[in-house]
Amino acid sequence: MTYRDAILLQENTAKKVLSATDDFGDILRICGVDVAYSGSNNAAYCSAVIMDRNMQYLVESIDVQTVVKHPYVPGLLMLREAEPIFYTLRLLKNSYDLLLIDGHGLLHPRKCGLACFVGVTLNKPTIGVAKSLLCGAVRPDRFVELDGELLGYAISKKNYISVGHRITLKTAIELVKEVGIEPLRLADINSKRNKKKRAID
């Protein structure tokens, strides 16, 4: 896939993102997925963690190593990370009701960050939780504005959330404030630990 193809795919996927209503039932299990990389062996280390809504019970955790096929390009993270994420999530034995992605959703120049692409492709309620801003400006009330629209929210200086798919920004904010992002935090830890372990091996 060329970069132009990826941009067209983002633009087409953006039209399919559902963000006006909450399109889901009870949120009982939450999955977080993250990817770490090693430039030395061209590898992607993807980890997924499923926890119960109360963040007290670990339902499942999985670590997978795949080959990196694309370099990182700002605004096209989906080109690099979607494939290892899809591969890892397919290996999960347990179901989940909400997906947390380490990346942006609608808070993106083309309104289709990694969280939107993964959410739409899997048709899963998805929230993007990014560690830094790609675009937009944080207002005093912590909402992130882009081109006159409120597309994200700064939970902290290191966590910016936005809609991935099948959820409103209001509900995404409420859910993250209520339950936190523990599955995503653990997935981040696991992916980096797996990367370090493989480097030693």
Side-chain angles (χ1 to χ4, degrees):
M1 179 184 293
T2 67
Y3 293 121
R4 180 55 188 163
D5 290 336
I7 290 173
L8 289 174
L9 181 58
Q10 282 181 322
E11 292 172 347
N12 289 328
T13 301
K15 300 173 185 177
K16 301 175 184 178
V17 174
L18 301 178
S19 62
T21 59
D22 297 316
D23 181 27
F24 54 81
D26 293 334
I27 300 294
L28 302 178
R29 291 178 175 178
I30 301 174
C31 178
V33 61
D34 196 12
V35 187
Y37 298 95
S38 173
S40 60
N41 61 358
N42 203 36
Y45 302 92
C46 187
S47 297
V49 174
I50 301 176
M51 298 185 71
D52 72 304
R53 182 182 178 125
N54 294 325
M55 300 295 139
Q56 296 179 347
Y57 177 62
L58 177 64
V59 177
E60 185 176 357
S61 178
I62 185 172
D63 303 306
V64 177
Q65 179 181 345
T66 62
V67 177
V68 176
K69 295 184 178 180
H70 300 280
Y72 170 67
V73 178
L76 286 174
L77 185 62
M78 48 82 73
L79 194 62
R80 182 175 172 88
E81 293 205 354
E83 191 169 332
I85 286 175
F86 290 145
Y87 182 79
T88 302
L89 293 179
R90 282 197 298 268
L91 296 178
L92 289 170
K93 297 178 181 179
N94 292 275
S95 62
Y96 54 89
D97 307 301
L98 177 69
L99 183 60
L100 301 179
I101 297 284
D102 181 11
H104 290 289
L106 286 178
L107 186 56
H108 183 276
R110 289 175 290 278
K111 294 186 180 179
C112 184
L114 177 65
C116 289
F117 182 72
V118 172
V120 169
T121 302
L122 298 179
N123 194 27
K124 277 283 189 180
T126 307
I127 299 174
V129 185
K131 296 184 180 73
S132 61
L133 274 182
L134 176 64
C135 56
V138 181
R139 306 193 325 177
D141 60 3
R142 293 193 175 185
F143 280 94
V144 183
E145 185 174 352
L146 177 65
D147 297 331
E149 293 186 80
L150 300 183
L151 297 180
Y153 186 84
I155 289 291
S156 68
K157 291 183 179 180
K158 294 185 178 181
N159 288 129
Y160 301 87
I161 68 174
S162 58
V163 170
H165 187 48
R166 293 177 56 182
I167 191 169
T168 63
L169 179 58
K170 178 177 181 293
T171 300
I173 295 169
E174 291 173 350
L175 275 171
V176 171
K177 284 184 175 181
E178 176 192 345
V179 305
I181 58 169
E182 187 65 6
L184 187 58
R185 189 186 72 83
L186 291 178
D188 175 63
I189 291 172
N190 291 349
S191 63
K192 290 174 180 173
R193 181 174 58 197
N194 192 31
K195 168 188 170 181
K196 184 177 181 180
K197 178 182 177 182
R198 296 297 177 92
I200 294 174
D201 293 342

